[in-house]
Amino acid sequence: MKKSIIALALTTVFGFLIWLFFSDKSVAQPNTFKTLPAKASVITTAVQPKASNVTQQKLTIAQAKKHFDESIKSAAKQVSHQYAAALNFPPYSQPLTSLDTDRLEPNKFNPVAIPINNDGANLVLSLNKYRFVYPEPIAVRIEGENIGAVTLSLMDVDSKKVLASQRINNAKQSYDFSFSAREDYPRNLQILAEAQINADQVPIVAHLQYMNPSAVLMGFDNAWPNSDKMTIPAKLKVYKAGMYRIRANLYIGEQPIAHLVSRERLETGSQTIALDAHWSVLKVTDQPMHLHGFVIELMSPAPGEPSVFGHSEIKSFTISEFPVDSLNKTPYHPTHAERQSLQFLKSLGTTS
């Protein structure tokens, strides 16, 4: 999260600089003329812009620049405040609430909907996730009013080749489909659904990804007190060596309390990587803690090469009777690089 906050600030700044570069050029262009012979002086005079127009343009650009300067300062101040708050916790163990949907549902598919009449009714195509990993089947749902039949085609995005298709003729409000897992699916897929609604054939398209797993999460060993943190060893079966990022969400009952992240280079075979929960995100409670929402990611080795994801053999892991009081309550101290990043963000909010 800390890196993403900094990236947001840098994107804002660089975008402003690009805007400023082209704005300056737009002011200069009206006054750029080739030198003409004396006999063409009448023509030259005719194309010269009025001084009042040039002055007005300069004032407009100056006002816009001032507005952008103030907007950047305001955004940088907000980002620096958020980053400073994040630095109260280590990057591997950040607080989590029910509002952090990007972390709670990192593989969420947003349903596709198109209108089918003037009364606000829609044809809706939903997937249970966006990214699928073999051997997961692809579950699809079609919903809408007055559907007479549905034909579904699973297609390769690049070649447009149809890899599988299904059709259901029974009229009802919703249809559930499932395409079987296949190891040879290309990464980028699309589903084309054609629904018969009254006398019309209504098409709707959704995109998804499918891949062979880079690793499989097999389970966890028991959590144990490790100085100022709770350590939970994750057991993986690794198919592709490389730099891995493992993520999970920690709950007490139904309440999310922490987002845990671990990065480590792993070789093929049976491997163990630790997820750590800093004492500052834990609570003394009689309720058991649970880990959910596992993401196993072989990170991109180079620009242009996508990450490859794995899957989990388990849905959750329960941690019972952990001695939170036994942990060393040492406050987290940001690293030198993190302090420098914070200082940079603060400077963006104060530069005149």
Side-chain angles (χ1 to χ4, degrees):
M1 182 179 76
K2 298 173 185 177
K3 289 185 179 180
S4 61
I5 292 173
I6 297 174
L8 173 63
L10 291 175
T11 301
T12 304
V13 173
F14 291 143
F16 167 70
L17 291 176
I18 293 171
W19 176 90
L20 179 60
F21 174 78
F22 286 106
S23 294
D24 287 342
K25 285 187 175 296
S26 67
V27 173
Q29 286 170 357
N31 294 318
T32 303
F33 298 97
K34 293 182 179 180
T35 302
L36 299 176
K39 64 181 180 180
S41 60
V42 174
I43 298 176
T44 303
T45 302
V47 298
Q48 291 287 347
K50 293 182 180 180
S52 59
N53 291 341
V54 174
T55 301
Q56 183 60 43
Q57 286 180 357
K58 290 182 177 180
L59 287 173
T60 301
I61 294 298
Q63 291 171 350
K65 289 179 180 177
K66 182 179 179 181
H67 175 72
F68 267 77
D69 286 341
E70 292 174 351
S71 297
I72 287 177
K73 287 181 184 179
S74 176
K77 285 180 181 178
Q78 294 179 18
V79 172
S80 65
H81 289 324
Q82 295 173 2
Y83 188 62
L87 289 182
N88 290 322
F89 306 89
Y92 61 80
S93 175
Q94 289 281 306
L96 185 67
T97 73
S98 58
L99 300 178
D100 297 317
T101 54
D102 58 328
R103 295 180 175 187
L104 294 173
E105 299 179 277
N107 196 15
K108 180 180 178 180
F109 177 86
N110 293 313
V112 180
I114 59 172
I116 55 178
N117 59 37
N118 295 326
D119 298 326
N122 290 324
L123 178 67
V124 181
L125 191 161
S126 305
L127 305 177
N128 59 332
K129 61 181 70 177
Y130 166 70
R131 185 178 58 250
F132 295 81
V133 178
Y134 181 83
E136 295 173 335
I138 302 171
V140 187
R141 168 166 284 197
I142 300 292
E143 298 175 278
E145 296 180 1
N146 302 317
I147 300 177
V150 179
T151 300
L152 247 67
S153 300
L154 182 65
M155 304 170 64
D156 180 348
V157 168
D158 298 321
S159 68
K160 305 304 180 186
K161 178 182 178 181
V162 176
L163 306 173
S165 62
Q166 297 185 34
R167 179 179 175 85
I168 296 180
N169 294 312
N170 299 325
K172 57 181 179 179
Q173 297 294 311
S174 65
Y175 295 82
D176 288 308
F177 299 81
S178 181
F179 290 102
S180 300
R182 277 175 46 182
E183 290 185 89
D184 61 346
Y185 280 147
R187 182 184 179 100
N188 296 312
L189 297 173
Q190 71 178 24
I191 292 176
L192 170 63
E194 295 178 289
Q196 180 184 335
I197 300 176
N198 298 324
D200 298 322
Q201 286 290 117
V202 181
I204 187 169
V205 177
H207 290 83
L208 63 139
Q209 291 188 344
Y210 202 97
M211 63 198 74
N212 287 314
S214 57
V216 177
L217 175 63
M218 308 301 294
F220 290 87
D221 287 329
N222 292 331
W224 58 281
N226 182 9
S227 183
D228 60 350
K229 54 187 174 288
M230 175 177 69
T231 294
I232 316 111
K235 297 182 292 185
L236 298 172
K237 185 175 182 180
V238 179
Y239 297 118
K240 299 178 181 179
M243 180 61 71
Y244 275 83
R245 176 168 57 186
I246 312 300
R247 290 177 283 169
N249 297 320
L250 184 63
Y251 291 72
I252 294 178
E254 299 297 321
Q255 178 187 1
I257 62 170
H259 181 69
L260 309 183
V261 182
S262 183
R263 291 179 178 84
E264 188 175 329
R265 183 169 296 279
L266 300 177
E267 300 300 326
T268 57
S270 298
Q271 301 289 336
T272 300
I273 183 172
L275 288 170
D276 294 318
H278 194 251
W279 69 268
S280 56
V281 299
L282 299 177
K283 300 176 182 179
V284 177
T285 176
D286 293 333
Q287 299 184 67
M289 291 181 281
H290 306 275
L291 283 176
H292 297 280
F294 308 117
V295 179
I296 302 96
E297 177 188 4
L298 173 59
M299 301 175 69
S300 171
E305 294 189 35
S307 297
V308 182
F309 292 83
H311 76 90
S312 176
E313 291 288 339
I314 62 172
K315 296 295 184 182
S316 65
F317 177 72
T318 300
I319 304 166
S320 301
E321 299 180 354
F322 182 83
V324 175
D325 284 336
S326 67
L327 299 180
N328 184 357
K329 305 299 192 296
T330 303
Y332 175 69
H333 295 290
T335 64
H336 177 68
E338 289 171 337
R339 294 194 300 271
Q340 281 188 320
S341 298
L342 178 59
Q343 188 58 42
F344 169 70
L345 291 173
K346 287 182 176 179
S347 68
L348 291 179
T350 57
T351 301
S352 59

